[in-house]
Amino acid sequence: MKTNTVFYHAGCPVCVDAEQLVVDTIDRERFDVEVVHLGESKDRISEAEAAGVKSVPALVVGQNAYHINFGASIADLK
Amino acid sequence: MKTNTVFYHAGCPVCVDAEQLVVDTIDRERFDVEVVHLGESKDRISEAEAAGVKSVPALVVGQNAYHINFGASIADLK
């Protein structure tokens, strides 16, 4: 069974850069990768917060949130 | 040809957590992954700084540095 990973971003330059390179490193044979734009999908913000996401870009692997550099805080996306 | 990635850390809890999960997501068929403990290999600090690393844990993919959460600043490792 593949592990779910979700890459949350907000279309910012830092986000796009991270998406192109970090998301590309993920082994798709073992991980399902979903990319979510929180600026466009505000209904997913609460889910991201529940996973521990405080800023974007962030990668959630299973139940763990990893903030990658800093683009924008979740609070600024609401 | 595989792309070089280097995961810099300092043995801190945030680093170990990121190493176990984030490094595990990387597709080893396409990326070479080196793990460097900057607390033990202080001679690699200048190389990390040159790649843009300001804190650990950090993942350098090719020429791009991605800081993952925050464990310790490079300055504190010197």
Side-chain angles (χ1 to χ4, degrees), chain A residues 17 24-25 27 30 67 69, chain B residues 24-25 27 30 66-67 69:
Chain A
D17 175 70
D24 180 59
T25 66
D27 183 354
R30 295 183 293 124
H67 303 91
N69 292 341
Chain B
D24 179 60
T25 65
D27 183 355
R30 295 183 293 124
Y66 298 99
H67 303 90
N69 293 341

Side-chain angles (χ1 to χ4, degrees), chain B residues 46-58:
Chain B
S46 59
E47 159 203 304
E49 287 184 314
V53 175
K54 310 223 181 288
S55 64
V56 289

Side-chain angles (χ1 to χ4, degrees), chain A:
Chain A
M1 200 180 85
K2 295 187 185 183
T3 302
N4 282 324
T5 66
V6 186
F7 180 79
Y8 293 102
H9 73 107
C12 54
V14 172
C15 299
V16 172
D17 175 70
E19 181 183 350
Q20 289 173 338
L21 272 154
V22 176
V23 171
D24 180 59
T25 66
I26 299 173
D27 183 354
R28 304 298 176 106
E29 294 289 317
R30 295 183 293 124
F31 296 88
D32 280 321
V33 182
E34 184 185 12
V35 175
V36 176
H37 189 315
L38 289 179
E40 293 172 353
S41 304
K42 289 182 188 292
D43 57 316
R44 303 287 296 270
I45 290 178
S46 59
E47 160 204 303
E49 287 183 314
V53 175
K54 310 224 180 287
S55 64
V56 289
L59 182 69
V60 173
V61 181
Q63 302 299 313
N64 299 269
Y66 298 100
H67 303 91
I68 301 168
N69 292 341
F70 180 83
S73 71
I74 286 281
D76 291 336
L77 300 177
K78 292 180 179 176

Side-chain angles (χ1 to χ4, degrees), chain B residues 6-78:
Chain B
V6 187
F7 180 78
Y8 294 102
H9 72 109
C12 55
V14 172
C15 298
V16 172
D17 174 70
E19 181 183 350
Q20 289 173 338
L21 272 155
V22 176
V23 171
D24 179 60
T25 65
I26 298 173
D27 183 355
R28 304 298 175 106
E29 295 288 318
R30 295 183 293 124
F31 296 88
D32 280 322
V33 182
E34 184 185 12
V35 175
V36 175
H37 188 316
L38 289 178
E40 295 172 351
S41 304
K42 289 182 188 293
D43 56 316
R44 304 286 298 270
I45 290 178
S46 59
E47 159 203 304
E49 287 184 314
V53 175
K54 310 223 181 288
S55 64
V56 289
L59 182 69
V60 174
V61 181
Q63 303 299 311
N64 300 269
Y66 298 99
H67 303 90
I68 301 167
N69 293 341
F70 180 82
S73 71
I74 285 282
D76 291 336
L77 301 177
K78 291 182 180 175

